[in-house]
Each structure stands twice: as C-alpha cells, then as structure tokens.
Amino acid sequence: MSGRRKAEVKASPLSFIATGVSYIALCLAALAALALVVVPMLTGSQTYSVLTSSMAPKYAPGTFLVVKPIPFEELRIGDVITYQIESGSPAVITHRITAISAEQSGEMVFTTKGDNNDVEDELPVREIQVKGKLFYAVPFVGFIANGLGNSDRGAIAQWGAFALMGYGVVALVRGALAKKRNDDDASPEGPTGQGPGAGGDDGTIFPSFGSPAGSGSDILEFSDPILTDCDGCDHDHSRDDNTSGRHRVETRKRATV
C-alpha cells in the first residue's frame, strides 16, 4: 500500500453546463406536466385553444386556456368566461363580461365583449351556455393542442404527462448516480481510518506490534537474552555469572521489515 492520495477529479465546464441544462429541462417538463395536465385534471377544468385575435394581445391566437367551472352567480363584471355560441353546440367563445342584467322573466344574463373588438357581442349569454371562468392561460401551447385535434387531445395529453414525468424520474436517477460517481472519484485515500500497517504520506510502512508471529505481517520482534554453551572458547569464564562452561550471550532476532 503506497498511502498516496488519489488526485481529485475536477469536473469540466461542459459537465457543469450539461448538468445545468438537464435540470432546466427537468424543471420545464415538470411545470408543463403540472400546468397542462395535472392541474386541469385535479380541478375538473377544461382546456381550450384561442383561434382568433378577439382577445389579443393578452390572449393571442395559440394561447392555451384552462377554464374552471364556477357557479353562475359568482361571476362578476370583468371576468373572462368561456361559453357556447348556442346552447348544446360544441363551438365556444372566450370573452370578457362587460355587463350583468336581468330579462323580463327575471333570468340573469351577461353582456360580453372581446378585448380586441370594438363592439359588444350581439346576443346575451345565459347560464346554460357558460362552461366556466378562465383559470389561467399558457401562451403558444395552444398551437400544439390545435395540431393534436380536439378528439385526441385528452388521451395524448395524458400520455404526454406520463412521458414528462418518466423523463423527470430518469433525469433524477441519472443525476444522483453521476453525483455519487463523482464523489467516489474525488474521495482521498490516506492514513485516516486505516488499520495497523497503514502507510504514511511518504510511503513508509509502519510496523504493527503485538501481531502473532507467522501471521504474514511485517513484524519487528525481539527476544530475551539466553544462555548458550561456550565450550572451547578462549575468553575468561570467571566473569560469567556463576556458570561453568557457559556464559551469557545476548542474542536478538533480526528485525524483519
């Protein structure tokens, strides 16, 4: 084990840009799914597309409208409503209420007008014609809805929502995996947390004391002085400690590293 630290892997500017673009796309996809599909489904709203310029410039052609049902008596002057041109007809108009009046029968009716029109609508609007009040509008999305057609719009919108949500999940998982991979690559390896026999920053291997002999580790061992026979030697035995024919010889095992 060398004990050297692994060089930290620095993210390139392109990776930062790619990550940023991915998160932006994810946020846009989530907002689109929320605004165009989820909220209308949860609130029971209906969606329409502006085809004419009668409500321009605020609601120009191609604007996607989300119209929420609301009790007729709660509507007020200035509200933008979507109503049938004729009761029971699929064709609708989205105009602003400019006046509220009562007919001789006592029925309440609305006078409406397009913001970009010079005159008010000719016929009054009755309760049975009203589909709801404008909840919110999304510019330009109506062009896509118009291309899908009215008959297939609901099913395609639901599948589109599932696709957007699936993309969001995939993007989140990929981002988490990439972050984990970058963290693993950037984590240093050093003596911290290492057990016996760990190396220093300069590559030195420190011995481990107290390990059993023969364990395979590099062990520095010492032995106590022992007595050994000294027959035939020519040095003075009188200085040995009460021994005859033997003297104290201090030996040590060679340190192994």
Side-chain angles (χ1 to χ4, degrees):
M1 181 182 297
S2 64
R4 297 183 181 275
R5 296 177 181 270
K6 183 183 293 185
E8 184 176 352
V9 179
K10 294 184 178 180
S12 64
L14 289 179
S15 66
F16 280 116
I17 294 174
T19 302
V21 171
S22 298
Y23 278 114
I24 292 174
L26 174 59
C27 292
L28 292 177
L31 289 175
L34 186 68
L36 305 182
V37 180
V38 177
V39 173
M41 289 177 62
L42 293 178
T43 60
S45 302
Q46 293 179 306
T47 58
Y48 301 93
S49 300
V50 176
L51 300 177
T52 68
S53 59
S54 64
M55 291 294 288
K58 189 172 184 179
Y59 305 109
T63 303
F64 186 81
L65 304 178
V66 178
V67 177
K68 183 179 180 181
I70 187 173
F72 185 77
E73 60 273 10
E74 294 183 10
L75 294 171
R76 300 289 183 267
I77 294 175
D79 290 342
V80 177
I81 62 172
T82 298
Y83 60 92
Q84 296 171 333
I85 297 176
E86 296 180 359
S87 179
S89 172
V92 296
I93 294 178
T94 299
H95 280 177
R96 193 179 302 276
I97 298 174
T98 57
I100 301 176
S101 58
E103 294 188 337
Q104 292 181 351
S105 62
E107 182 183 9
M108 299 294 297
V109 294
F110 297 147
T111 300
T112 56
K113 174 182 175 296
D115 291 349
N116 198 36
N117 292 346
D118 295 330
V119 297
E120 294 176 337
D121 299 331
E122 181 180 358
L123 300 175
V125 178
R126 291 175 166 81
E127 179 179 1
I128 194 172
Q129 296 173 253
V130 177
K131 303 295 291 183
K133 176 184 175 180
L134 178 64
F135 190 15
Y136 59 86
V138 183
F140 308 117
V141 179
F143 289 121
I144 301 175
N146 292 339
L148 298 177
N150 292 329
S151 59
D152 298 332
R153 183 184 302 177
I156 293 178
Q158 292 180 5
W159 282 109
F162 287 130
L164 291 173
M165 293 176 184
Y167 169 77
V169 172
V170 171
L172 285 175
V173 172
R174 290 181 61 187
L177 292 177
K179 184 177 184 302
K180 184 177 183 302
R181 193 161 49 243
N182 290 337
D183 291 344
D184 292 342
D185 291 342
S187 62
E189 292 181 3
T192 304
Q194 295 178 353
D201 290 341
D202 59 354
T204 304
I205 300 176
F206 301 107
S208 301
F209 297 95
S211 300
S215 61
S217 303
D218 291 331
I219 303 172
L220 186 62
E221 294 182 350
F222 297 95
S223 64
D224 294 331
I226 61 174
L227 295 177
T228 182
D229 293 337
C230 191
D231 296 335
C233 61
D234 57 357
H235 65 273
D236 187 3
H237 292 277
S238 62
R239 290 184 295 177
D240 293 341
D241 298 334
N242 300 322
T243 58
S244 175
R246 61 171 47 183
H247 65 93
R248 186 179 300 275
V249 178
E250 185 175 310
T251 63
R252 297 180 182 268
K253 292 183 181 179
R254 184 175 56 185
T256 60
V257 180

